Amino acid sequence: METVVLIIGANGQLGSVLTASLQEKYGMDQVIASDLNKPLNFDGVFEVIDATDKNRIEEVVVEYQVTQIYHLAAILSAKGEENPLQTWDINMKTLFNVLEVSRLNSIDRLFFPSSIAVFGEGAPLEQTPNNAYLDPATVYGISKAAGENWAQYYFLKYGLDVRSIRYPGVIGYQSLPGGGTTDYAVDIYHKAVLKEEFSCFLKEDATLPMVFMEDAIRATLELMEAPKEDITIRTSYNIAGISFSPAEVVAEIRKLYPEFKVRYAPDFRQDIASKWPKSIDDQTARDDWGWKPKFDLEMITSTMIQKLKEKYKMGSKNHKALML
Ligand code: SER
């Protein structure tokens, strides 16, 4: 069977990069990108989908004979706290729509991203195990914890091949995150390259698990390619990249930009971060489908700075796009 992939949330931080990787892997015509708006100059097939509209998802799935879905649309941890009930509605409604469309149209494989936000104070904060107690303190985390259980339910009850990763904070130069607690770790590199002062919304010792975009994308594709019988976890897999605090990333950046200025102005996002793991035990992902990260803090920093310098040199139009 020919693989035809639908990405829901293709304009997001991960979605935009994943779309390009999937286009490379399966071919331009085999990948249907979708989001609320079509971006300017999009290269490939794009359909406008509001994932709260189940019929619209189904229409696209049927039209293109979609075989795999990556459902990346969600409201993240920090943004989600502005309107908790709306966040719950959107995150859960879109997931149920995708689960139902997948079940009814015999979708071959479905990817549902979860997050380190599923953990809370009931879990050990160091080397948090895959099967740790889940008591999330944000509505985003609650929606992901519930989503993981629904994913497993659809697997057990209907045999739907749903696979999931609990992403740490994702750091990449290609796109900007929106509304997360780990967003600072992307923004800080932009400020360094622009030679601007950085105001950090977390405390300097707020260590969090992070992963470089290349590693995050590779993890996703490797999980989705793994033989079905190797997948022993149908809620969601822990993956670890590296862990660092704002002070550690600042020290790394200062090796290249000794003048880089930072001030700390922790806000409500510090409370969110303080209940999340500092490091993650990802042994099960390593055992089941061979997960192993490649990028450490030094490699992330040198790559981010080099790529962002190139991007900003490309002119004011791109500069503006990057700063949105
Ligand atoms: N990066 C996400 C956030 O900060 C975690 O999944 O909300």
Side-chain angles (χ1 to χ4, degrees):
M1 190 171 47
E2 204 178 32
T3 301
V4 180
V5 180
L6 171 64
I7 300 145
I8 296 173
N11 295 355
Q13 186 202 12
L14 260 168
S16 55
V17 187
L18 190 62
T19 298
S21 303
L22 289 166
Q23 285 173 331
E24 206 170 293
K25 185 173 160 68
Y26 293 111
M28 294 301 272
D29 296 339
Q30 307 302 109
V31 176
I32 322 304
S34 77
D35 210 309
L36 293 172
N37 307 295
K38 182 173 178 179
L40 289 173
N41 310 318
F42 181 82
D43 203 10
V45 185
F46 194 98
E47 290 288 340
V48 173
I49 294 180
D50 176 345
T52 61
D53 179 354
K54 182 164 144 256
N55 293 339
R56 178 63 187 141
I57 303 173
E58 190 150 37
E59 206 172 81
V60 173
V61 164
V62 171
E63 184 184 337
Y64 291 93
Q65 301 187 347
V66 168
T67 62
Q68 291 192 6
I69 301 180
Y70 289 73
H71 171 47
L72 302 173
I75 300 179
L76 295 190
S77 60
K79 177 93 187 137
E81 294 306 290
E82 284 170 17
N83 194 334
L85 295 185
Q86 190 189 44
T87 302
W88 172 259
D89 266 356
I90 290 175
N91 288 1
M92 297 314 291
K93 187 161 183 44
T94 55
L95 174 61
F96 284 128
N97 286 346
V98 173
L99 286 169
E100 273 300 276
V101 168
S102 298
R103 174 178 78 82
L104 295 168
N105 293 275
S106 308
I107 286 296
D108 192 39
R109 258 167 224 196
L110 167 61
F111 181 76
F112 165 66
S114 186
S115 160
I116 53 164
V118 294
F119 298 114
E121 287 178 312
L125 292 186
E126 303 280 356
Q127 288 296 111
T128 309
N130 216 109
N131 62 357
Y133 185 71
L134 304 185
D135 59 347
T138 59
V139 67
Y140 169 69
I142 298 172
S143 73
K144 288 297 182 188
E148 289 184 3
N149 285 306
W150 276 105
Q152 176 169 259
Y153 180 87
Y154 268 71
F155 171 73
L156 294 174
K157 189 157 175 112
Y158 305 116
L160 183 64
D161 191 351
V162 197
R163 303 175 181 203
S164 176
I165 283 173
R166 291 174 180 147
Y167 292 112
V170 179
I171 304 170
Y173 53 85
Q174 302 94 329
S175 53
L176 289 174
T181 302
T182 55
D183 294 12
Y184 93 88
V186 177
D187 195 24
I188 196 166
Y189 288 109
H190 287 260
K191 294 293 187 295
V193 169
L194 292 168
K195 302 201 164 78
E196 289 174 12
E197 181 177 309
F198 179 63
S199 174
C200 188
F201 58 69
L202 298 184
K203 286 193 196 160
E204 61 182 323
D205 62 351
T207 299
L208 288 172
M210 303 279 180
V211 68
F212 197 47
M213 180 67 83
E214 267 80 340
D215 278 337
I217 298 286
R218 190 170 47 79
T220 311
L221 298 180
E222 284 174 3
L223 171 63
M224 288 298 273
E225 274 161 17
K228 203 171 170 181
E229 57 277 13
D230 291 352
I231 309 295
T232 63
I233 293 189
R234 289 294 177 169
T235 50
S236 193
Y237 279 99
N238 280 7
I239 65 160
I242 45 154
S243 285
F244 59 74
S245 65
E248 284 164 324
V249 66
V250 167
E252 202 56 44
I253 290 174
R254 282 193 182 139
K255 289 185 187 165
L256 299 159
Y257 291 96
E259 308 291 308
F260 184 48
K261 285 197 181 53
V262 180
R263 64 186 184 90
Y264 292 93
D267 64 16
F268 72 101
R269 289 169 280 193
Q270 174 59 38
D271 298 333
I272 297 177
S274 68
K275 299 188 179 79
W276 283 0
K278 294 182 190 307
S279 58
I280 295 287
D281 176 349
D282 60 1
Q283 195 56 48
T284 317
R286 288 173 186 256
D287 293 344
D288 285 4
W289 42 277
W291 162 244
K292 197 173 187 313
K294 288 189 179 150
F295 284 80
D296 61 18
L297 181 56
E298 201 181 329
M299 286 158 76
I300 292 176
T301 301
S302 59
T303 311
M304 285 297 283
I305 287 184
Q306 186 206 328
K307 295 286 185 183
L308 289 177
K309 264 161 88 175
E310 286 166 18
K311 280 203 171 195
Y312 282 118
K313 245 187 245 151
M314 279 161 59
S316 55
K317 209 171 131 224
N318 284 300
H319 174 111
K320 215 173 148 202
L322 274 167
M323 294 316 288
L324 283 179

